[in-house]
Amino acid sequence: MAAIYTFSLILLSLVMCLQLSYSAVDTMHHGSSLSVEEPKDVMLSPNAMFSAGFYAVGENAYSFAVWYSEPNGRPPNPTFVWMANRDQPVNGKRSKFSLLGNGNLVLNDADGSVVWSTDIVSSSSAVHLSLDNTGNLVLREANDRRDVVLWQSFDSPTDTLLPQQVFTRHSKLVSSRSETNMSSGFYTLFFDNDNVLRLLYDGPDVSGLYWPDPWLAPWDAGRSSYNNSRVAVMDTLGSFNSSDDFHFMTSDYGKVVQRRLIMDHDGNIRVYSRRHGGEKWSVTWQAKSTPCSIHGICGPNSLCSYHQNSGLKCSCLPGYKRKNDSDWSYGCEPKVHPSCKKTESRFLYVPNVKLFGFDYGVKENYTLKECKELCLQLCNCKGIQYTFYDTKGTYTCYPKLQLRHASSIQYFTDDLYLKLPASSSYSNEGSTDEQGLNCSSRTIKIERTYDKGHENRYVKFLVWFATGVGGLELLCAFVVWFFLVRTTGKQDSGADGRVYALAGFRKFSYSELKQATKGFSQEIGRGAAGVVYKGVLLDQRVAAVKRLKDANQGEEEFLAEVSCIGRLNHMNLIEMWGYCAEGKHRLLVYEYMEHGSLAKNIESNALDWTKRFDIALGTARCLAYLHEECLEWILHCDVKPQNILLDSNYHPKVADFGLSKLRNRNETTYSSFSTIRGTRGYMAPEWIFNLPITSKVDVYSYGIVVLEMVTGRSITKDIEATDNGVVNQHLSMVTWLKERQKNGFTCVSEILDPTVEGVYDEGKMETLARVALQCIEEEKDKRPTMSQVVEMLQESSR
Ligand SMILES: *[C@@H]1O[C@H](CO)[C@@H](O)[C@H](O)[C@H]1NC(C)=O
Ligand SMILES: *[C@@H]1O[C@H](CO)[C@@H](O)[C@H](O)[C@H]1NC(C)=O
Ligand SMILES: *[C@@H]1O[C@H](CO)[C@@H](O)[C@H](O)[C@H]1NC(C)=O
Ligand SMILES: *[C@@H]1O[C@H](CO)[C@@H](O)[C@H](O)[C@H]1NC(C)=O
Ligand SMILES: *[C@@H]1O[C@H](CO)[C@@H](O)[C@H](O)[C@H]1NC(C)=O
Ligand SMILES: *[C@@H]1O[C@H](CO)[C@@H](O)[C@H](O)[C@H]1NC(C)=O
């Protein structure tokens, strides 16, 4: 194997040399310049990942930029990482980018005028400009011994921050105007005066901060305002740290070839990554998971709504019409200007709408009548937000002087009463959707990524290079072929548990199973879907035979589902040996698990800390496989200790797909779930609030299971004790834990099940508890994916 790697490395460097040999320059010396008219006047970083030069950004409009090199040369929409003159593009003729004799770097338009310059003067004759492997364009002066940096593009970012690029008190990321218009837009990432990293919307007529949530004090948003060093940086692995205590890790944390953080044109900051040029970028982190809470996204007098399936939508509020048909940031304007006379106004009730800012005070404990009266008295009052607060038990009235940042929110108690001319006949029905026009911004989902291991990635990488370089194709193809044979030749891929072989799945007769289970005499488990019996098959294998209760499913349908499940294979997934479908009998035959369920073992205290950690990791691997790796996308929907079985070595295997449905992976939601599935105590809030069901419901249940394993406290017992219904289902355990997490788990032993004996690794246990708490976030987007869970647990056991 080692020999092949070495060989490929040599091959790789050969390919890179070839690429370089026909590129223009990698260093500019003083007195030289790049011309807009010469397509070959491009600088290339030594690793060929970045290019710098002139790029067309409009008709006869060119900017001097740094971008990610693509295998096919110059695509129409490259991934820019820096731009000298985004707001002042130059002419396509006679424009020049030059390093003058005095060390100054200037960009001249066709008429010779200076559009941009570094304003640097150096007496040295050894000034040179180069494009580094990191994407940094650097002007250096060669002194006696070492190079001194005079200027670098990393110090004046445009909208992108690259790995290792330090974001400072002087830096700003400013979004582009739209997906295609690269000039400065309305959104800025910067360090505010209180040392906190924030997002600012600076629109055509209003501005305001919107991240972190403006109503939160820095401390409540998890930020610190005490560290005035004001620096932030993302490393190549995808970890971001800021001096205000803000940090995150991308969903694909680990070695990735290309990664960038960008202030996107739609007001969100995102991290994108991809494995190599030419591929699509995937989002691996974003700051705001609720796009409607980004200010100005739909402009004034409009309503933002977001649905997971259809994405973000802007529409005018009733009585308003669009101002600019091509650009939502201008929002809507009144169809008829309202009169100031009290008698000439009326209110239109628009439920479930929340607006932010521009209040004429906060009037607590107002009746609706008092609230309306107040608004009528104010000539410039455009409507009122009337909100019920659970905690106070009263309504609060917010007279609105402007209607901005309105979003439609279900499940909340915010209502809008719009002030409209009395003569108007706008109604709530239809009006809001009357111009159900699409917003310019697309919605972007975090990709479900899963690291398939180094070998695979290496193969892909090689394949790309192979296609990119004609002459070496044959040689490469041979290497790739060799690789594939070597890697897939191994049946058991080991560490991550994917097994490719599928052995012995078959159909059993009813009499055969009746005999094996001695007439269904030895019951070993009982669930919603049926009863499980122990049995010994003719070939002496010990099996668990599950007899399904509601056997009204047709044979064909049953078979389709069963053979699907039979095709799944993972070392942490219970293996199905076969099935029986005869008359009204429907049975499933599984491998028998020596130690029964996790539920039984937690109770009996048979598990030490190492076993508990391994069970958590194995279960996570299995769920990640079901969610992200196997051909059919599967949700388990009933993850609980009763469904996690343990073999003779206490390795976990996930069981019971009685409730799961096999679906096409492309479908993001399970709209066809008509009834609630799952077990009380382990069910995610989405079930209760009737929200779209995604793989995050399993993540939630998994979190609860892990918490039970860590703390030794049982969820279902908690429920029985309080019996306050779903809302309070896990109050005691979770609030207790969160309290302790706030104090940073100063002592992990404090939360651990005191009845478990043996030594434990503090770091591992802390990770386990932290991950589990993330998994049970109320908001599904805040929960990690199962593969992220695997990653985090593996990280801590290294
Ligand atoms: C890009 O947006 C700016 C600012 O709105 C505008 O002035 C410019 O004309 C736009 N450029 C193009 C090519 O649409
Ligand atoms: C951020 O902090 C974590 C832990 O403190 C560290 O492991 C990581 O390397 C840091 N990342 C960067 C980019 O400094
Ligand atoms: C402030 O932040 C910087 C960068 O994250 C860190 O190195 C430094 O130790 C912090 N200072 C204090 C007092 O916490
Ligand atoms: C609408 O916006 C576009 C782009 O900003 C601008 O070019 C156009 O002039 C605007 N139209 C009107 C009617 O204001
Ligand atoms: C709200 O106002 C009503 C009537 O003015 C009063 O009876 C009630 O005590 C008030 N409630 C609160 C919580 O202040
Ligand atoms: C909105 O977008 C969808 C698909 O993106 C498109 O089919 C539809 O025609 C658009 N509607 C309008 C009014 O532009």
Short mmCIF file of all heavy atoms in Angstrom, two decimals, residues 46-89:
data_model
loop_
_atom_site.label_atom_id
_atom_site.label_comp_id
_atom_site.label_asym_id
_atom_site.label_seq_id
_atom_site.Cartn_x
_atom_site.Cartn_y
_atom_site.Cartn_z
N PRO A 46 1.73 28.69 -6.23
CA PRO A 46 2.57 27.52 -6.51
C PRO A 46 1.79 26.20 -6.47
O PRO A 46 2.09 25.29 -7.22
CB PRO A 46 3.61 27.56 -5.39
CG PRO A 46 3.68 28.99 -4.99
CD PRO A 46 2.31 29.56 -5.19
N ASN A 47 0.75 26.10 -5.63
CA ASN A 47 -0.02 24.85 -5.58
C ASN A 47 -1.15 24.85 -6.61
O ASN A 47 -1.98 23.94 -6.62
CB ASN A 47 -0.58 24.62 -4.18
CG ASN A 47 -1.56 25.70 -3.74
OD1 ASN A 47 -1.81 26.66 -4.48
ND2 ASN A 47 -2.11 25.56 -2.56
N ALA A 48 -1.21 25.91 -7.44
CA ALA A 48 -2.18 26.02 -8.53
C ALA A 48 -3.62 26.16 -8.05
O ALA A 48 -4.55 26.11 -8.85
CB ALA A 48 -2.07 24.85 -9.50
N MET A 49 -3.85 26.35 -6.77
CA MET A 49 -5.22 26.42 -6.29
C MET A 49 -5.84 27.80 -6.54
O MET A 49 -7.02 27.90 -6.80
CB MET A 49 -5.26 26.10 -4.80
CG MET A 49 -6.65 25.74 -4.32
SD MET A 49 -6.76 25.61 -2.55
CE MET A 49 -5.84 24.13 -2.24
N PHE A 50 -5.04 28.85 -6.48
CA PHE A 50 -5.56 30.20 -6.65
C PHE A 50 -4.97 30.88 -7.89
O PHE A 50 -3.82 30.62 -8.26
CB PHE A 50 -5.24 31.05 -5.43
CG PHE A 50 -5.91 30.56 -4.18
CD1 PHE A 50 -5.23 29.75 -3.28
CD2 PHE A 50 -7.22 30.89 -3.91
CE1 PHE A 50 -5.84 29.28 -2.13
CE2 PHE A 50 -7.86 30.44 -2.75
CZ PHE A 50 -7.16 29.63 -1.87
N SER A 51 -5.77 31.74 -8.49
CA SER A 51 -5.31 32.54 -9.61
C SER A 51 -5.60 34.00 -9.30
O SER A 51 -6.54 34.31 -8.57
CB SER A 51 -6.05 32.17 -10.89
OG SER A 51 -5.99 30.79 -11.13
N ALA A 52 -4.80 34.90 -9.87
CA ALA A 52 -5.05 36.33 -9.71
C ALA A 52 -4.91 36.99 -11.07
O ALA A 52 -4.03 36.64 -11.85
CB ALA A 52 -4.08 36.95 -8.72
N GLY A 53 -5.79 37.95 -11.33
CA GLY A 53 -5.73 38.64 -12.60
C GLY A 53 -7.02 39.41 -12.83
O GLY A 53 -7.82 39.59 -11.92
N PHE A 54 -7.21 39.85 -14.08
CA PHE A 54 -8.45 40.56 -14.41
C PHE A 54 -9.55 39.55 -14.69
O PHE A 54 -9.30 38.50 -15.28
CB PHE A 54 -8.23 41.43 -15.64
CG PHE A 54 -7.47 42.68 -15.36
CD1 PHE A 54 -6.11 42.76 -15.61
CD2 PHE A 54 -8.13 43.79 -14.81
CE1 PHE A 54 -5.41 43.92 -15.33
CE2 PHE A 54 -7.43 44.95 -14.53
CZ PHE A 54 -6.06 45.02 -14.79
N TYR A 55 -10.76 39.87 -14.26
CA TYR A 55 -11.89 38.99 -14.51
C TYR A 55 -13.09 39.85 -14.89
O TYR A 55 -13.33 40.90 -14.28
CB TYR A 55 -12.22 38.17 -13.27
CG TYR A 55 -12.64 36.76 -13.58
CD1 TYR A 55 -11.82 35.68 -13.30
CD2 TYR A 55 -13.87 36.50 -14.19
CE1 TYR A 55 -12.19 34.38 -13.60
CE2 TYR A 55 -14.25 35.20 -14.50
CZ TYR A 55 -13.41 34.14 -14.21
OH TYR A 55 -13.77 32.86 -14.52
N ALA A 56 -13.85 39.42 -15.88
CA ALA A 56 -15.04 40.18 -16.29
C ALA A 56 -16.12 40.04 -15.23
O ALA A 56 -16.46 38.93 -14.83
CB ALA A 56 -15.55 39.67 -17.63
N VAL A 57 -16.65 41.18 -14.74
CA VAL A 57 -17.73 41.13 -13.76
C VAL A 57 -19.01 41.73 -14.33
O VAL A 57 -20.02 41.80 -13.65
CB VAL A 57 -17.35 41.86 -12.45
CG1 VAL A 57 -16.25 41.12 -11.71
CG2 VAL A 57 -16.94 43.30 -12.73
N GLY A 58 -18.98 42.16 -15.56
CA GLY A 58 -20.14 42.73 -16.21
C GLY A 58 -19.76 42.99 -17.65
O GLY A 58 -18.67 42.60 -18.09
N GLU A 59 -20.63 43.65 -18.38
CA GLU A 59 -20.30 43.92 -19.76
C GLU A 59 -19.23 45.01 -19.82
O GLU A 59 -19.43 46.10 -19.29
CB GLU A 59 -21.56 44.37 -20.50
CG GLU A 59 -21.62 43.84 -21.91
CD GLU A 59 -22.86 44.34 -22.60
OE1 GLU A 59 -23.96 44.01 -22.12
OE2 GLU A 59 -22.72 45.09 -23.59
N ASN A 60 -18.13 44.70 -20.44
CA ASN A 60 -16.98 45.60 -20.48
C ASN A 60 -16.63 46.16 -19.10
O ASN A 60 -16.30 47.32 -18.94
CB ASN A 60 -17.22 46.75 -21.46
CG ASN A 60 -15.93 47.49 -21.75
OD1 ASN A 60 -14.85 46.91 -21.74
ND2 ASN A 60 -16.04 48.79 -21.99
N ALA A 61 -16.76 45.33 -18.09
CA ALA A 61 -16.43 45.74 -16.72
C ALA A 61 -15.53 44.67 -16.12
O ALA A 61 -15.93 43.51 -16.04
CB ALA A 61 -17.70 45.90 -15.88
N TYR A 62 -14.33 45.07 -15.73
CA TYR A 62 -13.36 44.09 -15.23
C TYR A 62 -12.89 44.48 -13.83
O TYR A 62 -12.74 45.66 -13.52
CB TYR A 62 -12.15 44.00 -16.16
CG TYR A 62 -12.46 43.27 -17.44
CD1 TYR A 62 -13.16 43.91 -18.46
CD2 TYR A 62 -12.09 41.94 -17.61
CE1 TYR A 62 -13.48 43.24 -19.63
CE2 TYR A 62 -12.40 41.26 -18.77
CZ TYR A 62 -13.10 41.91 -19.78
OH TYR A 62 -13.41 41.24 -20.93
N SER A 63 -12.66 43.45 -13.02
CA SER A 63 -12.09 43.69 -11.70
C SER A 63 -10.79 42.91 -11.59
O SER A 63 -10.65 41.84 -12.20
CB SER A 63 -13.05 43.24 -10.60
OG SER A 63 -14.12 44.14 -10.51
N PHE A 64 -9.88 43.43 -10.79
CA PHE A 64 -8.68 42.67 -10.51
C PHE A 64 -8.98 41.83 -9.28
O PHE A 64 -9.34 42.36 -8.23
CB PHE A 64 -7.46 43.56 -10.28
CG PHE A 64 -6.20 42.76 -10.21
CD1 PHE A 64 -5.54 42.41 -11.37
CD2 PHE A 64 -5.70 42.31 -8.99
CE1 PHE A 64 -4.38 41.62 -11.33
CE2 PHE A 64 -4.55 41.52 -8.94
CZ PHE A 64 -3.89 41.18 -10.12
N ALA A 65 -8.84 40.51 -9.41
CA ALA A 65 -9.33 39.62 -8.37
C ALA A 65 -8.42 38.43 -8.15
O ALA A 65 -7.55 38.13 -8.95
CB ALA A 65 -10.73 39.13 -8.74
N VAL A 66 -8.65 37.77 -7.01
CA VAL A 66 -8.06 36.46 -6.75
C VAL A 66 -9.23 35.49 -6.72
O VAL A 66 -10.26 35.77 -6.12
CB VAL A 66 -7.33 36.43 -5.39
CG1 VAL A 66 -6.79 35.03 -5.10
CG2 VAL A 66 -6.21 37.46 -5.35
N TRP A 67 -9.12 34.35 -7.41
CA TRP A 67 -10.19 33.38 -7.43
C TRP A 67 -9.64 31.97 -7.37
O TRP A 67 -8.45 31.75 -7.56
CB TRP A 67 -11.07 33.56 -8.68
CG TRP A 67 -10.38 33.29 -9.98
CD1 TRP A 67 -10.31 32.09 -10.64
CD2 TRP A 67 -9.67 34.24 -10.80
NE1 TRP A 67 -9.61 32.23 -11.81
CE2 TRP A 67 -9.20 33.54 -11.93
CE3 TRP A 67 -9.39 35.61 -10.69
CZ2 TRP A 67 -8.45 34.15 -12.94
CZ3 TRP A 67 -8.64 36.21 -11.69
CH2 TRP A 67 -8.18 35.49 -12.80
N TYR A 68 -10.53 31.02 -7.07
CA TYR A 68 -10.14 29.61 -7.05
C TYR A 68 -9.97 29.13 -8.49
O TYR A 68 -10.90 29.25 -9.29
CB TYR A 68 -11.23 28.76 -6.39
CG TYR A 68 -11.09 28.67 -4.88
CD1 TYR A 68 -11.89 29.44 -4.04
CD2 TYR A 68 -10.17 27.80 -4.31
CE1 TYR A 68 -11.75 29.34 -2.66
CE2 TYR A 68 -10.04 27.71 -2.94
CZ TYR A 68 -10.83 28.47 -2.12
OH TYR A 68 -10.70 28.38 -0.77
N SER A 69 -8.81 28.60 -8.82
CA SER A 69 -8.58 28.08 -10.16
C SER A 69 -9.56 26.93 -10.42
O SER A 69 -9.88 26.17 -9.52
CB SER A 69 -7.17 27.52 -10.30
OG SER A 69 -6.23 28.40 -9.74
N GLU A 70 -10.04 26.85 -11.64
CA GLU A 70 -10.93 25.75 -12.01
C GLU A 70 -10.25 24.95 -13.12
O GLU A 70 -9.50 25.50 -13.92
CB GLU A 70 -12.27 26.30 -12.52
CG GLU A 70 -13.05 27.10 -11.50
CD GLU A 70 -13.61 26.25 -10.36
OE1 GLU A 70 -13.68 25.02 -10.51
OE2 GLU A 70 -13.96 26.83 -9.31
N PRO A 71 -10.56 23.66 -13.17
CA PRO A 71 -9.90 22.83 -14.19
C PRO A 71 -10.23 23.27 -15.62
O PRO A 71 -9.44 23.09 -16.53
CB PRO A 71 -10.43 21.42 -13.91
CG PRO A 71 -11.55 21.58 -12.96
CD PRO A 71 -11.41 22.88 -12.28
N ASN A 72 -11.43 23.87 -15.78
CA ASN A 72 -11.82 24.25 -17.15
C ASN A 72 -11.58 25.73 -17.43
O ASN A 72 -12.35 26.37 -18.15
CB ASN A 72 -13.28 23.89 -17.40
CG ASN A 72 -14.16 24.43 -16.29
OD1 ASN A 72 -13.67 24.85 -15.25
ND2 ASN A 72 -15.46 24.44 -16.50
N GLY A 73 -10.56 26.31 -16.80
CA GLY A 73 -10.19 27.67 -17.16
C GLY A 73 -11.02 28.75 -16.50
O GLY A 73 -10.96 28.90 -15.29
N ARG A 74 -11.83 29.46 -17.30
CA ARG A 74 -12.55 30.61 -16.76
C ARG A 74 -14.06 30.45 -16.86
O ARG A 74 -14.67 30.85 -17.86
CB ARG A 74 -12.13 31.87 -17.51
CG ARG A 74 -10.72 32.29 -17.20
CD ARG A 74 -10.49 33.65 -17.76
NE ARG A 74 -9.20 34.15 -17.34
CZ ARG A 74 -9.01 35.40 -16.90
NH1 ARG A 74 -10.02 36.24 -16.85
NH2 ARG A 74 -7.81 35.78 -16.54
N PRO A 75 -14.69 29.89 -15.84
CA PRO A 75 -16.15 29.78 -15.86
C PRO A 75 -16.77 31.17 -15.70
O PRO A 75 -16.10 32.08 -15.20
CB PRO A 75 -16.46 28.90 -14.66
CG PRO A 75 -15.31 29.10 -13.73
CD PRO A 75 -14.12 29.40 -14.58
N PRO A 76 -18.04 31.35 -16.10
CA PRO A 76 -18.65 32.68 -16.00
C PRO A 76 -18.81 33.17 -14.55
O PRO A 76 -18.75 34.36 -14.31
CB PRO A 76 -20.00 32.50 -16.68
CG PRO A 76 -20.20 31.04 -16.86
CD PRO A 76 -18.87 30.38 -16.79
N ASN A 77 -19.04 32.27 -13.61
CA ASN A 77 -19.17 32.70 -12.21
C ASN A 77 -18.13 32.01 -11.35
O ASN A 77 -18.42 31.04 -10.68
CB ASN A 77 -20.56 32.38 -11.68
CG ASN A 77 -21.58 33.31 -12.24
OD1 ASN A 77 -21.41 34.53 -12.24
ND2 ASN A 77 -22.65 32.75 -12.77
N PRO A 78 -16.90 32.51 -11.35
CA PRO A 78 -15.87 31.85 -10.56
C PRO A 78 -16.08 32.12 -9.07
O PRO A 78 -16.91 32.94 -8.71
CB PRO A 78 -14.59 32.55 -11.03
CG PRO A 78 -15.04 33.92 -11.37
CD PRO A 78 -16.43 33.78 -11.91
N THR A 79 -15.33 31.44 -8.24
CA THR A 79 -15.40 31.70 -6.82
C THR A 79 -14.31 32.70 -6.47
O THR A 79 -13.15 32.35 -6.30
CB THR A 79 -15.18 30.39 -6.04
OG1 THR A 79 -16.07 29.42 -6.57
CG2 THR A 79 -15.46 30.60 -4.57
N PHE A 80 -14.72 33.97 -6.40
CA PHE A 80 -13.76 35.02 -6.05
C PHE A 80 -13.44 34.94 -4.57
O PHE A 80 -14.31 34.64 -3.76
CB PHE A 80 -14.35 36.40 -6.33
CG PHE A 80 -14.54 36.69 -7.79
CD1 PHE A 80 -15.80 36.85 -8.33
CD2 PHE A 80 -13.44 36.83 -8.63
CE1 PHE A 80 -15.99 37.12 -9.67
CE2 PHE A 80 -13.61 37.11 -9.98
CZ PHE A 80 -14.89 37.26 -10.50
N VAL A 81 -12.20 35.22 -4.20
CA VAL A 81 -11.89 35.30 -2.78
C VAL A 81 -11.41 36.69 -2.38
O VAL A 81 -11.39 37.04 -1.21
CB VAL A 81 -10.85 34.25 -2.34
CG1 VAL A 81 -11.36 32.85 -2.59
CG2 VAL A 81 -9.53 34.45 -3.04
N TRP A 82 -11.05 37.49 -3.38
CA TRP A 82 -10.63 38.86 -3.07
C TRP A 82 -10.81 39.71 -4.32
O TRP A 82 -10.71 39.21 -5.45
CB TRP A 82 -9.17 38.88 -2.63
CG TRP A 82 -8.67 40.25 -2.28
CD1 TRP A 82 -8.91 40.93 -1.12
CD2 TRP A 82 -7.87 41.11 -3.10
NE1 TRP A 82 -8.32 42.15 -1.16
CE2 TRP A 82 -7.67 42.30 -2.37
CE3 TRP A 82 -7.32 41.00 -4.38
CZ2 TRP A 82 -6.94 43.37 -2.86
CZ3 TRP A 82 -6.58 42.06 -4.87
CH2 TRP A 82 -6.39 43.24 -4.12
N MET A 83 -11.06 41.00 -4.14
CA MET A 83 -11.22 41.86 -5.28
C MET A 83 -10.66 43.24 -4.93
O MET A 83 -10.91 43.75 -3.84
CB MET A 83 -12.71 41.98 -5.60
CG MET A 83 -12.98 42.03 -7.09
SD MET A 83 -14.72 41.91 -7.37
CE MET A 83 -14.81 40.30 -8.13
N ALA A 84 -9.88 43.82 -5.84
CA ALA A 84 -9.31 45.14 -5.58
C ALA A 84 -10.35 46.22 -5.79
O ALA A 84 -10.46 47.14 -4.99
CB ALA A 84 -8.10 45.36 -6.48
N ASN A 85 -11.10 46.13 -6.86
CA ASN A 85 -12.01 47.21 -7.26
C ASN A 85 -13.41 46.71 -7.52
O ASN A 85 -13.92 46.81 -8.62
CB ASN A 85 -11.45 47.90 -8.51
CG ASN A 85 -11.25 46.91 -9.65
OD1 ASN A 85 -10.88 45.76 -9.41
ND2 ASN A 85 -11.51 47.34 -10.87
N ARG A 86 -14.07 46.17 -6.50
CA ARG A 86 -15.40 45.61 -6.70
C ARG A 86 -16.41 46.69 -7.07
O ARG A 86 -17.36 46.43 -7.79
CB ARG A 86 -15.86 44.85 -5.46
CG ARG A 86 -16.12 45.76 -4.27
CD ARG A 86 -16.29 45.01 -2.97
NE ARG A 86 -17.26 43.93 -3.03
CZ ARG A 86 -17.79 43.38 -1.95
NH1 ARG A 86 -17.47 43.80 -0.74
NH2 ARG A 86 -18.66 42.41 -2.05
N ASP A 87 -16.24 47.90 -6.53
CA ASP A 87 -17.24 48.94 -6.77
C ASP A 87 -16.90 49.84 -7.94
O ASP A 87 -17.65 50.74 -8.27
CB ASP A 87 -17.42 49.79 -5.50
CG ASP A 87 -18.12 49.00 -4.42
OD1 ASP A 87 -19.10 48.29 -4.75
OD2 ASP A 87 -17.68 49.06 -3.26
N GLN A 88 -15.74 49.61 -8.53
CA GLN A 88 -15.34 50.47 -9.63
C GLN A 88 -14.62 49.65 -10.70
O GLN A 88 -13.41 49.76 -10.86
CB GLN A 88 -14.41 51.57 -9.11
CG GLN A 88 -14.48 52.86 -9.89
CD GLN A 88 -13.56 53.90 -9.28
OE1 GLN A 88 -13.21 53.86 -8.10
NE2 GLN A 88 -13.13 54.85 -10.10
N PRO A 89 -15.38 48.84 -11.44
CA PRO A 89 -14.75 47.99 -12.45
C PRO A 89 -14.11 48.85 -13.55
O PRO A 89 -14.52 49.99 -13.75
CB PRO A 89 -15.92 47.19 -13.03
CG PRO A 89 -17.04 47.36 -12.08
CD PRO A 89 -16.83 48.67 -11.40
#
